Amino acid sequence: MTDNDRMMNKTIRTLALLAGAALCAACAQHRPSTVGTTPEVEQRVERILAQMTLAEKVGQMNQVSAGGDPSQYAEALRAGQIGSILNEVDPVRINEFQRIAVEESRLGIPLLVGRDVIHGFHTVFPIPLGLAATFDPALVEEGARVAALEATAQGVRWTFSPMLDIARDPRWGRIAEGSGEDTWLDARMGEAMVRGYQGTQWDATSMAACIKHFVGYGAAEGGRDYNSTFLTERELRNVYLPPFEAAVRAGAMTLMTSFNDNDGIPSTANTFTLKQVLRDEWGFDGLVVTDWNSMGEMISHGYGADRKEVARQAIGAGVDMDMMTFGFLSHLEELVQSGAVKESAIDAAVRNILRVKVLLGLFEHPYVDAAAAQAVQYAPEHLAAAQRTAEESVVLLRNEGDLLPLDPARVRTILVTGPMADAPHDQLGTWAFDGQKQHTVTPLAALRERFPGRVVYVPGLGHSREHRARFDDVVAAARRADVVLAFLGEEAILSGEAHSLADLNLQGSQSELLAALKAAGKPVVATVMAGRPLTIERDLPNCGALLYAFHPGTMGGPALTNLIFGDAVPSGKTPVTFLRTVGQVPMYYNHHMTGRPYNGELLLGDIAPEAGQTSLGNTSYYLDYGAYPLFPFGYGLSYTRFAYSDVALDKAVYATDGTLRVSFTLANTGSRDATEVAQVYVRDLVGSLTRPVKELKHFERVALKAGESRRVEVEIPVSELAFFGADGTRKVEPGDFQLWVAGDSASGEPVSFQVQ
Ligand code: NOJ
């Protein structure tokens, strides 16, 4: 090749690249906005941007923690150095912050006021893992709306929720804050929360959602918070990214980068996820904020030497706003002046920020009516929604001899015991910043109100970690009672951020307390309130019934009372696999098929074991704990029984753009009206990559009267079966599939179909 040829080739490559870039820019412009912006909004944004100095632009990209007196920030606000505050909820102070920004800064740009409103604001709903256990997106949306009504009344217009991190390791304390292990369920919950928070654009009760943490944070090695992850692009695209994409499509206005580094790259500097996937592929035109000092933490990660370098890396990856590193504020101007960062990158970030502020109507209504804010909090309809959600979030894991529901006429004396029976702060769960414990109704309070004079309370243990050798007082009280209601679990502080655990058994002497109660000979109903699926196998034989309540929030007490006494019927299902022992981590239902699957019931459908795989010794399991969890994903009992039959598909062969019409008969064969969460799972038998043994593709809450039976029909677009395959594209791969309809991920008989 001559020098001339080389030169020519280079020119052609450059031209092709330029043409590609121009095309991309063009298609980006013609793509529909993910946050619903309009030409008018964009013109307004441009008008503001045109008036801004570089310093004012950089100021918009700076978020600070308010923490008290607005006057401490007065000077910075006047100088336009702050675009957003977090951690202020007092409406009077928020108004004052806004007043300084709007009336005393040169351009009068209102502040975006953010807060972690994660599972309710004042009225606290169950933790997100409990919300997921409802399998009821409509109810979850309603709860998010309640949170928005309460928070926006006080001036909070941005919540750092929903957390969409897939979590398959219950040691990780933040498993409490998400929807559990399943991608499809997580996506549905995320969309619901986004819709609920954001409500109607321009409305004063619209609160911008922030989908977080982008991305992979839940895969922290060893379940230790903040730890590194090593997710491949395929795993990201098939498991971790889809909930984010769904929430972007649902209109999420903002997104937060995560603390973790994935495969060596901190998320806050990851151009692949933040630019290629989020902006270029999904067309996200909302705001990207860092997590708290996650830009600064890139220095600890050893990815950048100082704040200036990490600020350059973050803006280079497309971060718009810096939460509490002050890296942008301190260094962006000089980085632009030195040519290391283009001013167009700053402009793009500021556009994203201003767009959100305009769409929230903040320019029209920067202030709230502080005097009216109080009346919105804990409104009766908010408490009712929280109670309904708590009822639906509880999972019945055991009910020997149909002990539950209890008949109030048959239990005169009720012993209430256990460290969670009267723990008003702890039943609120993690991230209940604004929930006030004086508004919490504990099980003890609810039971006393319902059964005046019939409740005996002997706590047994003051808190979950207390050790005690003897329980004579509790046992004596149990002997005198007709029934024992034991409320066990873990305090709020044992889950959530930076609260990982290596031991997932009930802490302290709780298991011993339960064993002592069992020995007293009276029926024992255990309720576990926790932020994660604990390993409760050894406790099951010591109770007749067990209700699992992921920290249920303000109205947990009345909800549990209703469930225990049959005024509500459990319908919750496990959003995460319950393990027998912590050593089984990670164990989740939608794992890939190994070459040597356990040869018991785990072998699905008509796939026969290969020669040599029939002996236990050669298959995938633990010598001491076998191959199964304690309870599978999607599991939960009711006070009735449900029977599935005649699962059918409308065709045997589908086109890749077709729709599966699945029908089945669901019968309530018991004597109580109840709701069942019917679940549809699919397996792609042979793929260009090995595929999960089952994947949830649909669920449906079906309410049936006692004795009623119904033919249920659901539709699933074949496109739902697409995955990111060996060729690096996302598509449905033609071939053989199986489908199950069942009450959990480990039940049902497969029906076969093909995609051609
Ligand atoms: C750190 C947490 O990781 C994030 O989820 C939260 O929203 C921010 N802090 C703000 O409080």
Side-chain angles (χ1 to χ4, degrees):
M1 195 188 277
T2 65
D3 279 351
N4 230 349
D5 290 342
R6 264 188 217 107
M7 184 86 100
M8 189 60 98
N9 276 348
K10 196 173 163 206
T11 313
I12 289 168
R13 269 202 311 274
T14 313
L15 284 174
L17 276 178
L18 285 175
L23 262 179
C24 258
C27 65
Q29 274 163 20
H30 291 118
R31 256 198 228 159
S33 159
T34 63
V35 298
T37 190
T38 63
E40 294 71 42
V41 169
E42 292 307 298
Q43 280 159 17
R44 197 160 160 190
V45 166
E46 291 307 322
R47 274 199 304 275
I48 304 167
L49 191 66
Q51 298 171 56
M52 295 174 84
T53 63
L54 178 59
E56 284 166 332
K57 291 176 190 171
V58 171
Q60 281 301 304
M61 300 167 70
N62 183 36
Q63 184 187 51
V64 303
S65 183
D69 182 6
S71 67
Q72 63 175 318
Y73 286 118
E75 215 174 300
L77 287 167
R78 284 188 201 109
Q81 289 178 345
I82 300 176
S84 170
I85 58 167
L86 77 159
N87 292 340
E88 179 55 80
V89 291
D90 180 278
V92 175
R93 282 203 294 268
I94 289 180
N95 278 346
E96 178 57 9
F97 270 108
Q98 292 288 27
R99 193 193 62 73
I100 305 173
V102 170
E103 292 173 29
E104 297 185 5
S105 75
R106 191 176 77 88
L107 294 172
I109 301 173
L111 293 165
L112 197 50
V113 179
R115 178 70 160 176
D116 289 284
V117 182
I118 310 289
H119 47 112
F121 184 60
H122 279 124
T123 303
V124 177
F125 284 69
I127 56 169
L129 198 55
L131 297 178
T134 67
F135 282 68
D136 192 345
L139 190 66
V140 169
E141 180 175 340
E142 196 186 324
R145 189 87 287 269
V146 166
L149 290 175
E150 292 190 354
T152 58
Q154 299 206 178
V156 173
R157 299 297 304 278
W158 183 18
T159 176
F160 305 121
S161 171
M163 186 186 101
L164 299 176
D165 297 309
I166 298 291
R168 292 168 164 181
D169 187 340
R171 295 172 299 182
W172 190 51
R174 301 197 82 169
I175 195 171
E177 295 178 50
S179 295
E181 73 189 32
D182 183 65
T183 301
W184 205 81
L185 175 63
D186 190 24
R188 304 294 80 78
M189 290 297 155
E191 293 163 347
M193 286 192 233
V194 167
R195 285 193 298 265
Y197 291 138
Q198 296 190 173
T200 311
Q201 247 174 19
W202 301 100
D203 191 282
T205 70
S206 172
M207 176 162 70
C210 185
I211 52 178
K212 68 185 189 186
H213 304 84
F214 204 65
V215 60
Y217 180 42
E221 256 199 346
R224 292 188 298 286
D225 206 2
Y226 314 118
N227 210 358
S228 300
T229 60
F230 297 91
L231 299 166
T232 62
E233 180 181 350
R234 284 179 188 151
E235 187 72 350
L236 281 172
R237 288 191 184 272
N238 285 328
V239 178
Y240 289 83
L241 287 167
F244 285 91
E245 186 175 8
V248 165
R249 304 259 168 270
M253 295 177 99
T254 80
L255 172 143
M256 186 186 290
T257 64
S258 54
F259 287 126
N260 60 300
D261 64 315
N262 185 49
D263 196 17
I265 303 174
S267 304
T268 302
N270 193 325
T271 50
F272 166 67
T273 51
L274 290 171
K275 281 203 152 158
Q276 182 178 323
V277 175
L278 180 68
R279 301 287 190 192
D280 298 345
E281 294 179 19
W282 301 348
F284 180 66
D285 58 354
L287 182 176
V288 172
V289 64
T290 70
D291 201 340
W292 183 287
N293 190 35
S294 69
M295 189 190 299
E297 287 184 14
M298 299 204 291
I299 303 169
S300 317
H301 277 295
Y303 197 71
D306 51 32
R307 267 208 311 196
K308 184 169 162 187
E309 189 174 0
V310 294
R312 185 182 52 72
Q313 290 167 328
I315 186 81
V319 168
D320 301 321
M321 188 180 278
D322 165 8
M323 183 193 288
M324 290 304 287
T325 295
F326 303 104
F328 282 173
L329 192 73
S330 324
H331 297 290
L332 273 189
E333 274 184 85
E334 72 180 281
L335 283 166
V336 170
Q337 276 143 12
S338 71
V341 169
K342 291 204 173 70
E343 188 159 351
S344 58
I346 311 285
D347 287 348
V350 177
R351 278 190 192 100
N352 294 337
I353 296 164
L354 292 177
R355 183 175 302 124
V356 169
K357 292 187 175 185
V358 172
L359 287 171
L360 284 172
L362 274 173
F363 284 87
E364 285 74 20
H365 303 289
Y367 305 118
V368 288
D369 180 351
Q374 211 39 47
V376 181
Q377 315 305 320
Y378 300 110
E381 62 274 21
H382 299 179
L383 296 173
Q387 181 172 326
R388 229 175 27 252
T389 310
E391 284 168 4
E392 284 195 17
S393 74
V394 173
V395 188
L396 178 64
L397 292 178
R398 178 178 171 89
N399 197 16
E400 284 305 292
D402 290 336
L403 173 59
L404 289 180
L406 298 178
D407 179 350
R410 295 175 142 218
V411 286
R412 277 299 315 157
T413 305
I414 302 164
L415 171 64
V416 173
T417 183
M420 297 300 284
D422 194 31
H425 169 75
D426 292 303
Q427 77 178 49
L428 297 181
T430 184
W431 279 130
F433 265 163
D434 300 293
Q436 295 148 316
K437 67 175 183 184
Q438 64 272 27
H439 287 268
T440 302
V441 189
T442 65
L444 178 65
L447 288 159
R448 279 186 170 148
E449 190 184 330
R450 172 98 184 254
F451 303 107
R454 288 165 59 183
V455 172
V456 176
Y457 176 48
V458 185
L461 292 165
H463 59 84
S464 74
R465 281 162 287 170
E466 190 182 327
H467 287 273
R468 195 169 150 179
R470 300 184 64 89
F471 293 97
D472 298 346
D473 52 344
V474 197
V475 171
R479 291 215 175 93
R480 287 192 295 271
D482 299 309
V483 68
V484 177
L485 305 183
F487 295 89
L488 311 167
E490 54 180 15
E491 281 87 17
I493 196 69
L494 292 179
S495 60
E497 186 179 346
H499 290 91
S500 297
L501 288 175
D503 180 351
L504 300 181
N505 289 335
L506 283 171
Q507 305 248 335
S509 301
Q510 294 188 87
S511 293
E512 289 76 9
L513 169 62
L514 203 58
L517 289 165
K518 154 102 172 171
K522 294 297 170 64
V524 178
V525 176
T527 299
V528 176
M529 293 188 200
R532 54 163 68 75
L534 295 169
T535 45
I536 51 169
E537 183 170 37
R538 64 177 175 166
D539 305 302
L540 288 175
N542 291 331
C543 55
L546 191 139
L547 290 160
Y548 208 94
F550 297 105
H551 291 130
T554 305
M555 298 303 283
L560 285 161
T561 303
N562 280 350
L563 288 165
I564 291 169
F565 288 92
D567 297 311
V569 179
S571 62
K573 299 277 187 173
T574 52
V576 63
T577 301
F578 274 60
L579 305 179
R580 298 181 59 202
T581 178
V582 70
Q584 291 178 309
V585 173
M587 183 179 269
Y588 46 93
Y589 87 95
N590 47 358
H591 59 89
H592 285 217
M593 185 59 105
T594 69
R596 294 190 172 198
Y598 184 66
N599 72 337
E601 304 89 278
L602 262 193
L603 276 179
L604 300 165
D606 56 4
I607 300 181
E610 297 292 325
Q613 289 183 9
T614 46
S615 109
L616 278 185
N618 290 343
T619 63
S620 179
Y621 77 113
Y622 295 103
L623 284 173
D624 51 355
Y625 276 87
Y628 301 118
L630 185 60
F631 297 110
F633 173 86
Y635 181 83
L637 303 170
S638 172
Y639 294 157
T640 188
R641 305 276 188 281
F642 292 103
Y644 290 81
S645 58
D646 301 322
V647 178
L649 284 161
D650 64 327
K651 292 185 193 165
V653 183
Y654 294 88
T656 49
D657 60 354
T659 301
L660 303 169
R661 292 197 172 74
V662 187
S663 56
F664 56 97
T665 301
L666 186 58
N668 176 346
T669 59
S671 56
R672 281 181 182 269
D673 302 352
T675 296
E676 164 74 331
V677 178
Q679 300 152 45
V680 183
Y681 295 90
V682 174
R683 177 170 174 201
D684 185 348
L685 290 183
V686 179
S688 64
L689 302 170
T690 59
R691 305 284 296 126
V693 294
K694 273 186 183 178
E695 290 179 289
L696 183 70
K697 291 296 172 193
H698 188 88
F699 56 81
E700 191 93 2
R701 291 179 59 84
V702 186
L704 291 174
K705 300 258 175 244
E708 185 185 350
S709 149
R710 189 179 313 151
R711 191 84 192 143
V712 182
E713 292 189 5
V714 304
E715 293 193 350
I716 301 174
V718 174
S719 58
E720 286 284 358
L721 312 180
F723 70 102
F724 188 79
D727 65 358
T729 65
R730 184 176 181 78
K731 61 174 180 295
V732 183
E733 292 186 359
D736 291 328
F737 290 78
Q738 288 178 324
L739 175 143
W740 294 254
V741 181
D744 63 67
S745 62
S747 303
E749 293 301 323
V751 173
S752 299
F753 65 96
Q754 277 188 348
V755 174
Q756 276 180 4

